[in-house]
Amino acid sequence: LFHHDPNRTDDQVDEIVRYAQERAADISKRKGLSTVPEIWAAAEGTDVTFGERANFVRKNSVDIGMHPSEDLLAKQFFQRRGVKIEGKIVLLGLECNTRFASDLKEDLEKDKLTVKVCEDVDSILEACSQSNPSLVVLKQSISGGNAVDICLKIREMGEWGEDTLFLVVAKNHDDLEMGRAESNIIPKESWLVEPVSVAYIRTRVRMSLLRAPCKWVRASIPANEEARLVALKESCMMDVNQPEGLKRITRVARQLFDVGAACFTLLAKDHVKLISAEGLDCINIPRDAAMCAHVVSDQDFTLVADALKDDRFADSPLVQGAPYLRFYAGMPIWSKAKDGQSYIIGSFCLLDQKPREFNTEQLRSLQDLASLAREEFGAISAEAQKARCLGVSSL
């Protein structure tokens, strides 16, 4: 910031800006920084967001690559809450030789936790008796036993065992309800159901150790999920990327609403596919972190005016970290299956990095664009299905 003298001419102001830009570029180069701070002047009416980010994020841009290191994010996460969990021991009762277990262990270690991985009942109980973990994450069905029996035995190991925290992952909703009914040792909120992402378990571990509620609510699985996934597969659209017709519609939506990004998404079993995205890189988003999963679950328009003030999303990694989402508005996308029924397979949505209001007129406009997107999707899907029948590539 430079002191502004109202007697300066526009040329003099421009000269100061050039000087500041040259200084910033020189400092960034000497320090080996990957980006140069943006400097401007005479920008009355411009919204500038200051936050815990490594780089400035330009208006109307959601760049997944612009975020601090994982270590910095973890440090900031706990600094904001004024507590530490460094050194606490977490035991993972998971299959050792899996990508999921290794990724989860790696992420938890970034929070300065001591992590042990065991995959059968005997090794889990032995590790617990030796290291007295603060929290134990278990699959409901484990080699040699089950999670409920393990939790009972840990509770009997002494005073530390009575205070041990648990997170139990069930394979499906039937197993989840059965497990909850069998045991009152494991709190209802400590039961999770697959599919579950590494990011979600990491957040649940953090909040459990902090003894704080987790402000990240996963969307429930629809009752017709199996048939819905069949309809999604029948659409032949999961392998289609950025079709021009949908790109035009998402491009118009982004410009019309002046938001950071507009997307057409499809919700698969464990992740979200961005079929068309303007302003947002086509990244792999876990299902439990995706706001569009709530559109599918609720089967209705979903509005998030300020994600940081919404208990469903405040602790989500897409809110706490890049792309730092604050606003979301999503309309359901229906697709007719071969059984004659229509299912919600995704959403047409708007996203931004600042809170926003959404009035009735804007809602009608989004509904109109979503209808156009559904029609375009149907036409592309029909072409893709025809091409598959003929054994040729469609798009």
Side-chain angles (χ1 to χ4, degrees):
L1 300 178
F2 289 81
H3 169 67
H4 175 58
D5 182 348
N7 292 320
R8 288 191 179 113
T9 65
D10 289 345
D11 289 342
Q12 289 173 325
V13 172
D14 289 342
E15 183 60 32
I16 290 176
V17 171
R18 280 194 294 272
Y19 166 76
Q21 290 172 337
E22 291 172 358
R23 287 268 297 165
D26 180 61
I27 292 173
S28 297
K29 182 178 180 181
R30 285 190 285 109
K31 290 185 175 292
L33 303 178
S34 60
T35 59
V36 178
E38 294 199 3
I39 300 171
W40 69 97
E44 291 83 357
T46 299
D47 292 333
V48 182
T49 301
F50 293 91
E52 296 170 336
R53 309 185 190 183
N55 303 303
F56 181 84
V57 180
R58 292 183 177 88
K59 181 182 179 183
N60 289 347
S61 173
V62 185
D63 187 346
I64 300 300
M66 303 175 73
H67 60 86
S69 69
E70 277 291 330
D71 288 340
L72 178 58
L73 282 174
K75 182 178 180 181
Q76 292 171 346
F77 182 91
F78 297 111
Q79 282 180 341
R80 286 195 293 271
R81 290 159 174 80
V83 295
K84 292 183 178 180
I85 63 172
E86 293 181 9
K88 289 185 179 293
I89 299 173
V90 175
L91 189 144
L92 306 179
L94 307 171
E95 295 179 18
C96 297
N97 298 320
T98 63
R99 176 70 179 273
F100 186 88
S102 61
D103 286 351
L104 180 57
K105 181 176 185 295
E106 181 180 347
D107 275 11
L108 292 175
E109 287 174 342
K110 291 174 182 175
D111 291 338
K112 310 301 181 185
L113 296 169
T114 299
V115 184
K116 300 178 181 294
V117 183
C118 303
E119 61 182 356
D120 60 72
V121 173
D122 291 340
S123 60
I124 291 171
L125 295 176
E126 182 180 358
C128 285
S129 64
Q130 293 177 353
S131 59
N132 299 356
S134 299
L135 186 146
V136 179
V137 180
L138 299 167
K139 282 290 189 75
Q140 185 178 11
S141 297
I142 301 172
S143 176
N146 62 74
V148 174
D149 291 340
I150 292 174
C151 294
L152 282 169
K153 291 179 180 179
I154 292 175
R155 285 282 188 258
E156 297 169 353
M157 288 185 179
E159 185 176 343
W160 75 266
E162 296 176 1
D163 294 330
T164 302
L165 301 168
F166 300 107
L167 289 174
V168 179
V169 182
K171 188 174 183 179
N172 52 52
H173 277 283
D174 289 341
D175 288 351
L176 175 73
E177 295 304 324
M178 183 175 64
R180 284 175 171 175
E182 287 179 350
S183 172
N184 56 5
I185 291 179
I186 307 169
K188 182 178 179 181
E189 62 273 13
S190 296
W191 284 88
L192 313 177
V193 63
E194 295 181 5
V196 61
S197 68
V198 167
Y200 184 73
I201 293 187
R202 180 186 185 183
T203 300
R204 289 297 304 267
V205 167
R206 286 173 165 181
M207 305 316 294
S208 296
L209 292 174
L210 293 173
R211 307 279 177 167
C214 180
K215 295 182 178 180
W216 178 6
V217 179
R218 300 194 304 157
S220 60
I221 303 297
N224 63 356
E225 177 68 0
E226 186 175 340
R228 190 192 72 82
L229 292 175
V230 170
L232 177 59
K233 183 178 181 180
E234 290 175 354
S235 73
C236 298
M237 291 293 286
M238 286 300 288
D239 295 326
V240 175
N241 290 304
Q242 301 288 319
E244 186 56 39
L246 288 177
K247 282 184 66 177
R248 284 195 295 268
I249 298 173
T250 52
R251 187 160 53 242
V252 168
R254 184 187 180 196
Q255 294 171 350
L256 176 63
F257 292 98
D258 190 27
V259 292
C263 305
F264 188 105
T265 72
L266 296 179
L267 184 65
K269 181 179 180 179
D270 56 5
H271 70 283
V272 172
K273 169 80 172 182
L274 302 186
I275 294 296
S276 177
E278 285 292 322
L280 182 67
D281 289 344
C282 287
I283 58 172
N284 181 33
I285 302 174
R287 177 171 179 156
D288 50 18
M291 294 180 180
C292 72
H294 290 263
V295 177
V296 174
S297 175
D298 298 341
Q299 300 189 40
D300 201 357
F301 169 68
T302 296
L303 176 66
V304 182
D306 187 348
L308 280 177
K309 296 180 180 179
D310 193 315
D311 287 350
R312 296 173 297 172
F313 307 108
D315 287 327
S316 167
L318 299 183
V319 177
Q320 293 290 331
Y324 302 96
L325 296 180
R326 296 289 293 277
F327 169 81
Y328 175 88
M331 296 294 301
I333 295 295
W334 297 79
S335 180
K336 193 169 185 177
K338 293 179 180 179
D339 64 4
Q341 301 296 314
S342 292
Y343 301 93
I344 299 178
I345 58 174
S347 73
F348 185 82
C349 57
L350 309 172
L351 308 97
D352 210 346
Q353 295 172 311
K354 61 182 180 182
R356 303 176 69 102
E357 299 297 328
F358 208 68
N359 59 39
T360 303
E361 183 179 346
Q362 289 174 314
L363 176 59
R364 283 198 295 266
S365 297
L366 182 59
Q367 287 173 330
D368 290 341
L369 286 173
S371 294
L372 292 175
R374 278 194 290 268
E375 293 176 6
E376 182 65 20
F377 173 85
I380 299 172
S381 174
E383 181 182 339
Q385 292 179 54
K386 182 179 179 181
R388 184 171 68 175
C389 291
L390 295 174
V392 298
S393 176
S394 57
L395 294 173

